[in-house]
Amino acid sequence: MRNVEGFSVRTDRHTQMIDITSRIEGIVRESGVDSGLCTVFVPHTTAAVTINENADPDVVRDFTMEINKIVPWEDGYRHAEGNSAAHLKASMIGFSEQIIIDEGRLVLGTWQGIYFVEFDGPRTRKVYVKITR
């Protein structure tokens, strides 16, 4: 087992949530770890990772709609690159999640999924996964 696994995520919209649960589950399965922790980390200042409902696509729509209201793209920010809103949103949501592994599987609720969240796309991003026993 490698220390850290990684994969790329390609976004095609400015703000987007992509369900990466199956990718993470595959890494956990391949690790052979029966009991431990799975850390998912996004090494970007304008993207995030979160756990949320993955059964109803309206949750994703509502999430992106509301976060764009809370932190509007243009609001008199001074950051020269013009993406301050993306930095703020990413910091609010967070850059990592930690999920328990039990009996070789992620311990997630019935409706929970792991999402990569883009706030400054479209881009190609990285996601890193660390499994610990």
Side-chain angles (χ1 to χ4, degrees):
M1 175 176 66
R2 291 189 202 147
N3 287 332
V4 177
E5 294 285 334
F7 59 90
S8 294
V9 175
R10 176 73 186 147
T11 62
D12 58 17
R13 285 174 285 188
H14 191 264
T15 302
Q16 185 175 5
M17 292 178 72
I18 298 174
D19 188 340
I20 58 172
T21 309
S22 62
R23 303 277 307 261
I24 307 300
E25 288 172 332
I27 292 169
V28 169
R29 205 171 23 260
E30 289 175 18
S31 77
V33 171
D34 185 57
S35 179
L37 294 172
C38 173
T39 301
V40 181
F41 175 71
V42 176
H44 305 285
T45 61
T46 58
V49 65
T50 192
I51 296 173
N52 212 312
E53 181 178 330
N54 67 351
D56 181 355
D58 284 337
V59 172
V60 168
R61 186 195 70 78
D62 294 346
F63 181 98
T64 56
M65 178 181 69
E66 290 304 314
I67 198 153
N68 286 329
K69 287 181 191 175
I70 294 166
V71 182
W73 188 252
E74 293 186 22
D75 198 28
Y77 307 116
R78 295 179 64 172
H79 180 44
E81 205 173 321
N83 61 354
S84 284
H87 290 288
L88 293 166
K89 292 172 190 177
S91 288
M92 290 168 63
I93 303 307
F95 305 101
S96 67
E97 289 288 345
Q98 194 168 59
I99 305 105
I100 297 167
I101 300 168
D102 188 47
E103 297 181 358
R105 299 175 49 99
L106 295 172
V107 178
L108 291 168
T110 302
W111 309 114
Q112 287 184 320
I114 305 164
Y115 285 91
F116 173 86
V117 190
E118 175 67 73
F119 294 117
D120 196 21
R123 292 181 186 240
T124 299
R125 305 290 200 153
K126 290 292 289 182
V127 175
Y128 291 104
V129 180
K130 170 80 173 173
I131 308 294
T132 54
R133 297 180 196 268

